[in-house]
Amino acid sequence: MEPRRSAVRLTGERGGATVCLLAVGLAFVTAGVFGAAVGAARTARQQARVAADFGALAGASQALVGESVACGRAAEITAANGGRLLACRLDGLDVLVTAEVAVTPLPGLARVATVSARAGPVRG
């Protein structure tokens, strides 16, 4: 008759896989949050670019009337596209517009995307 073997307990390694799994999960969550923050910043930059471009085009359509009318129209269109007009000036028949869009990619981290655009008649 063979002697009975008793079950060996390894108490020093209990829960090791759980801690490893939690560390891997935390790494994935951190990478996801970082990716989302970068995506939010890129989206804000694109939104600022669109607001500045459309504002400059709208201002250029009113360039013959004068700078105040052209920049007023540029401010309206920039705001309608989610931006804020920082600067506007008339350079001949060209309108130069600078717009910004505020973004908060992470709680407590506020940034501003600023873009400039120029629009005017086609030169040949």
Side-chain angles (χ1 to χ4, degrees):
M1 196 175 200
E2 286 184 30
R4 281 180 93 176
R5 291 184 178 180
S6 62
V8 178
R9 294 179 107 178
L10 299 175
T11 58
E13 302 218 10
R14 284 191 87 148
T18 303
V19 171
C20 188
L21 184 63
L22 286 173
V24 169
L26 180 63
F28 278 123
V29 168
T30 302
V33 167
F34 179 73
V38 169
R42 289 181 129 190
T43 301
R45 175 96 173 145
Q46 184 63 30
Q47 185 179 4
R49 186 174 295 132
V50 167
D53 285 344
F54 284 164
L57 287 169
S61 70
Q62 302 293 320
L64 291 175
V65 181
E67 185 171 348
S68 62
V69 174
C71 288
R73 185 69 180 144
E76 289 174 18
I77 298 301
T78 300
N81 284 286
R84 187 172 75 88
L85 188 67
L86 290 180
C88 177
R89 71 179 177 91
L90 204 56
D91 181 20
L93 292 177
D94 289 351
V95 175
L96 296 131
V97 169
T98 302
E100 73 175 6
V101 172
V103 63
T104 307
L106 296 172
L109 180 67
R111 295 287 183 243
V112 176
T114 305
V115 177
S116 295
R118 177 184 201 114
V122 177
R123 292 180 177 81

